[in-house]
Amino acid sequence: MTDETASSQAASPSRHAALLWTVIPFLVLAAAIAWLFGTNPLRSFENGAPPVENLTYERTTLDGGGVRLLVRAGGSEPLKIAQVQVDAAYWQFTLDPPGPLPRGQSAWISIPFPWVLGEAHRVTVVTSTGATFEHEIPVAVPTPEVTSNGLWSQAILGAFVGILPVAIGLMFYPALRGAGPSAMRFLLAVTVGLLAFLLVDAVAEAFELAGASAPVFQGGAMVVFAAAASFLLLMAVSRRGGRPSGVALATYIAIGIGLHNMGEGLAIGGAFAAGSAGLGTFLVMGFTLHNITEGIGIAAPLLKIRPTFRQFVLLTLIAGGPAVLGMWIGSLAYAPHWSALALAIGAGAILQVIIEVTLFMLRNDNGRMETLFSKEVIGGLALGITVMYVTAMLVKI
């Protein structure tokens, strides 16, 4: 018998033992769960208190048939909706799907309530245990119907506040091409400044929306881990071909901005679906001015090369196109947890881009750390943040 044969025979029982000890923990866990449900040792702790219940309102629609509410159940046991009040009066209602709502399941409540245009209404859901969950409709207006004309109008608006300003920002490329080393550092610092503002803005909005989502989604943890996953994934992808620069770096900037714009588009689309998007001309112009700086930030890494027209078009669509997609998705199936997730992913992508742009700036100056504290960099950071902050004042209501 050769040494290899003896070694193979010795390893075979070892592999079988390893496989056995992989299965045994799962068998023990299954037995423990079966025993827990079969014997219910927790019944000795029951004191007659009702189960913990939670109900989250995710969507509201108003039409000629009354009020429809999309709700999602939480809590330790299935939730049964017993009664519905509107403005302190009980109303008949239908539930789709009918029956108790298991944890995490959503359902539509339809109420034939004759709502009054422009008035405020308060809906109260009463569960079988007597728990109440209130929802306010601040201003009752009919929910816009999803039509091809409506989607086309949203696409035009999305292009105006997303694609057009990025394209205008990129049009500064020829004027910036003659920038020397100091001007290059300044422009890259401006890019970092505007990205830093977008990062803070995205994180703040993501946590706000996460707080409005159903507890079953664990909004805070979802935001943190989605942002971390996005950051690590993009860092891994960007380093496969070495440190990004030029068109590659501009593409990562466009991806980060595009994901942020998609999160904002989801929120705007949801506002359209709720009939509460009073986007006047001034507000649209504010969005446009706010996003022009994003195009300048994308152009900054391209100043030492000559990209093709096709590359400029692709960068514009990557950064601005998601605003249109977000508006469509938000108007058709808006929920706060989806917007929070999109903004969190965008925040992770923006953080990755900030690091890459900073490293690119250092490489252009032979890796000297003093560059980060030069007057050009500090001035550029301040200008980028200030411009984004001031233009954001035009769109915050």
Side-chain angles (χ1 to χ4, degrees):
M1 183 186 305
T2 64
D3 291 341
E4 290 185 3
T5 304
S7 176
S8 176
Q9 291 178 349
S12 181
S14 177
R15 285 196 298 268
H16 292 159
L19 179 61
L20 179 63
W21 281 107
T22 301
V23 175
I24 286 177
F26 289 103
L27 295 177
V28 172
L29 177 62
I33 293 174
W35 175 82
L36 182 65
F37 280 96
T39 62
N40 190 19
L42 299 177
R43 64 175 175 270
S44 60
F45 297 99
E46 295 177 356
N47 57 7
V52 177
E53 295 179 325
N54 181 272
L55 190 72
T56 303
Y57 294 88
E58 293 187 348
R59 194 177 178 94
T60 303
T61 63
L62 287 77
D63 54 28
V67 179
R68 297 180 72 237
L69 303 163
L70 179 64
V71 297
R72 190 176 299 273
S76 56
E77 295 184 11
L79 182 148
K80 182 178 180 181
I81 298 176
Q83 297 173 317
V84 174
Q85 297 179 359
V86 183
D87 294 341
Y90 289 99
W91 284 82
Q92 295 290 332
F93 69 94
T94 57
L95 194 65
D96 183 24
L101 298 179
R103 175 180 173 84
Q105 181 174 324
S106 62
W108 282 97
I109 302 175
S110 299
I111 313 164
F113 173 73
W115 52 273
V116 181
L117 181 66
E119 294 290 327
H121 300 288
R122 184 176 295 276
V123 180
T124 303
V125 169
V126 184
T127 69
S128 59
T129 66
T132 59
F133 299 93
E134 295 187 349
H135 174 65
E136 184 180 5
I137 302 173
V139 181
V141 293
T143 302
E145 296 183 2
V146 179
T147 62
S148 57
N149 288 336
L151 293 176
W152 177 247
S153 298
Q154 291 178 27
I156 294 175
L157 178 60
F160 199 91
V161 301
I163 296 176
L164 178 63
V166 173
I168 292 174
L170 284 171
M171 288 178 186
F172 284 96
Y173 168 80
L176 300 174
R177 267 193 54 80
S182 296
M184 186 70 175
R185 286 194 296 270
F186 176 78
L187 290 172
L188 289 171
V190 169
T191 301
V192 173
L194 71 89
L195 289 172
F197 180 90
L198 289 179
L199 174 62
V200 173
D201 183 62
V203 170
E205 288 189 35
F207 277 113
E208 181 180 350
L209 290 165
S213 62
V216 69
F217 293 111
Q218 306 168 74
M222 177 185 69
V223 168
V224 171
F225 289 114
S230 171
F231 169 76
L232 293 173
L233 178 62
L234 286 174
M235 283 295 289
V237 172
S238 67
R239 294 309 172 94
R240 290 182 62 186
R243 294 175 176 176
S245 61
V247 174
L249 183 56
T251 301
Y252 286 115
I253 296 175
I255 290 173
I257 291 172
L259 290 171
H260 177 269
N261 287 340
M262 183 174 182
E264 290 190 337
L266 283 168
I268 296 173
F272 272 118
S276 59
L279 286 178
T281 302
F282 181 78
L283 193 58
V284 172
M285 288 305 300
F287 271 109
T288 303
L289 292 173
H290 182 63
N291 292 343
I292 284 176
T293 53
E294 297 174 351
I296 297 175
I298 296 171
L302 304 174
L303 300 182
K304 299 302 180 183
I305 61 175
R306 291 185 177 275
T308 64
F309 178 76
R310 178 174 174 272
Q311 288 172 326
F312 277 117
V313 172
L314 288 175
L315 290 171
T316 302
L317 293 177
I318 291 171
V324 178
L325 184 61
M327 284 189 185
W328 282 343
I329 296 174
S331 65
L332 296 172
Y334 174 78
H337 52 273
W338 291 125
S339 290
L341 181 62
L343 286 167
I345 293 173
I350 291 170
L351 178 59
Q352 180 262 345
V353 174
I354 289 175
I355 292 174
E356 294 292 7
V357 173
T358 303
L359 293 175
F360 178 71
M361 183 165 47
L362 287 173
R363 291 198 302 271
N364 282 353
D365 207 12
N366 300 318
R368 293 191 306 122
M369 293 299 295
E370 297 82 5
T371 301
L372 298 180
F373 304 99
S374 64
K375 60 182 180 181
E376 297 91 353
V377 171
I378 293 178
L381 282 171
L383 179 62
I385 294 173
T386 301
V387 169
M388 294 297 285
Y389 182 84
V390 171
T391 55
M393 295 173 67
L394 301 174
V395 301
K396 297 297 182 181
I397 55 175

